[in-house]
Amino acid sequence: HVPNVNAILARASLKCDVVVSSIPAAHDWGNTPRNVAMGLAKGTHLVYLDDDDLAEPGSYEHIRNAVAAWPDGPAMFQFEAQWGEILPRGPFLAKGRCGGHGFVPPNDPDKLEPWSDAYEGDWDHIIGTVNNYGGEGAVLFVQKVVARCRETD
């Protein structure tokens, strides 16, 4: 299922160039399509939204502002989990307490680690990529909710 990107952008009240491709899932929580998409991405930074994520109004503006202020390192934004909790709660990374929905790394293939085929493959991608930038001190933590996870069928 590919989300209606025009509706998302209209909701975010921001024009931007977006390319959406349908990449078949490999029964690994969508991690193979994410890895394929990373290789196809042409922009300066990556933003991950799945079919169970909704971009918050103003999210792309928050992301663009952060990228302008912190162009050479990854940013971690907050997201609302399915159960209503806002994560991450503070300026630190913890397995199960942050997610790909809020991670915005530069599109530098030499520093991007792949999403593993595990349930928490986003953690492997996030922590590996962050370590390639020198660790948590290289991350810009932004306390703005940019996405909400929704229940799926």
Side-chain angles (χ1 to χ4, degrees):
H1 174 257
V2 176
N4 182 336
V5 173
N6 290 328
I8 291 170
L9 294 178
R11 187 168 175 229
S13 304
L14 188 67
K15 293 181 182 179
C16 63
D17 296 325
V18 175
V19 175
V20 175
S21 297
S22 178
I23 302 168
H27 306 292
D28 61 357
W29 299 279
N31 297 331
T32 294
R34 289 182 191 99
N35 288 329
V36 171
M38 283 193 314
L40 298 173
K42 304 290 185 215
T44 63
H45 287 72
L46 303 176
V47 176
Y48 305 101
L49 282 179
D50 299 330
D51 62 339
D52 63 343
D53 300 328
L54 298 172
E56 280 298 290
S59 61
Y60 293 110
E61 184 176 0
H62 296 312
I63 291 168
R64 283 189 172 157
N65 290 341
V67 166
W70 196 256
D72 300 322
M76 177 59 78
F77 291 84
Q78 294 177 310
F79 68 95
E80 183 179 323
Q82 295 93 324
W83 55 90
E85 185 176 7
I86 303 297
L87 297 171
R89 288 184 176 205
F92 54 87
L93 301 175
K95 189 173 188 175
R97 307 304 292 167
C98 59
H101 340 278
F103 189 53
V104 180
N107 186 7
D108 181 346
D110 293 332
K111 292 186 177 179
L112 292 169
E113 289 295 323
W115 294 63
S116 72
D117 61 358
Y119 174 72
E120 292 179 323
D122 57 343
W123 172 253
D124 297 329
H125 166 66
I126 291 167
I127 200 64
T129 299
V130 165
N131 286 338
N132 289 340
Y133 279 91
E136 282 191 49
V139 178
L140 175 66
F141 288 90
V142 183
Q143 293 204 331
K144 298 276 186 187
V145 175
V146 295
R148 296 190 188 279
C149 303
R150 63 180 181 82
E151 294 293 331
T152 57
D153 301 334

